[in-house]
Amino acid sequence: MYRMLLTTLFLTVNTAAFATRSYVEFGVSTELLEDLNFEISPEWRDDSEEDLTQLHTDLSLVYALTKRWNIATEYRTGTIDLGEESVDIDRKLLETKYSWKFKNFGIQTRIRYTIGENEEGEEKEYLRYRLKFNYDLDALNLKPFITFEKYDSLEADFEKNPNVYSAGLSWDITKSQQLSCEYRWVDKLHTRKDHVIVKLAYQFQF
């Protein structure tokens, strides 16, 4: 187990050398009621290209309508450190996910409505559509995945409607612990200011 953990961390650190942004997340979830989970996820982000850092915390409620379908609401609070000044983060979202599984193959669809302020303090609304594919390597407790996500501004702010392509690997350390590494390319179609993100996330469920 420790060899696999060190290998995952080694690959993450080396992959991060090719990225313009690095994310590290630590998530904890617990069941409040039957089919209702509460999640808290602090996350640190570093943008070396723009010389800024971000620290925020997501507070989520997730309700399982069925085994494959859930809905969630989330509130994000935190700050963006721009060097000489900082900006408060205030974001809210509603989302729904539906999953299918065919033997070891998995497909997940997600629709998310997001409202929050950007770095200039302007309130923005988005719809985000995501499609995710994964494959279970049961013998190794590993799950490679790829995703495609499309942003759709509800305010005709087309310059900030990127396509996001991701590839990663999640590892079930135990039944209650999961570690994942994700390589994400954000393609800003209109501004051409693309950037690459590497994200390392740890999840623990009580």
Side-chain angles (χ1 to χ4, degrees), residues 35-96:
D35 298 325
L36 180 66
N37 275 30
F38 171 73
E39 300 178 1
I40 179 169
S41 303
E43 183 174 317
W44 174 80
R45 297 182 174 183
D46 177 67
D47 185 342
S48 57
E49 195 172 61
E50 298 291 337
D51 193 26
L52 61 85
T53 57
Q54 177 174 325
L55 181 62
H56 65 252
T57 300
D58 293 333
L59 306 172
S60 311
L61 287 174
V62 183
Y63 181 70
L65 296 169
T66 68
K67 186 178 180 179
R68 298 180 178 178
W69 184 22
N70 68 45
I71 57 174
T73 181
E74 181 180 287
Y75 174 68
R76 173 176 293 179
T77 182
T79 58
I80 301 175
D81 186 356
L82 303 172
E84 297 182 355
E85 60 179 8
S86 61
V87 177
D88 292 333
I89 300 170
D90 182 23
R91 190 195 77 170
K92 297 171 279 292
L93 68 83
L94 293 171
E95 70 175 28
T96 180

Side-chain angles (χ1 to χ4, degrees), residues 164-181:
V164 182
Y165 308 90
S166 304
L169 186 68
S170 63
W171 171 36
D172 292 330
I173 305 172
T174 66
K175 289 184 178 180
S176 59
Q177 299 180 81
Q178 184 184 81
L179 183 68
S180 66
C181 177

Side-chain angles (χ1 to χ4, degrees), residues 8-20:
T8 304
L9 294 174
F10 175 79
L11 291 173
T12 303
V13 170
N14 280 273
T15 308
F18 300 96
T20 55

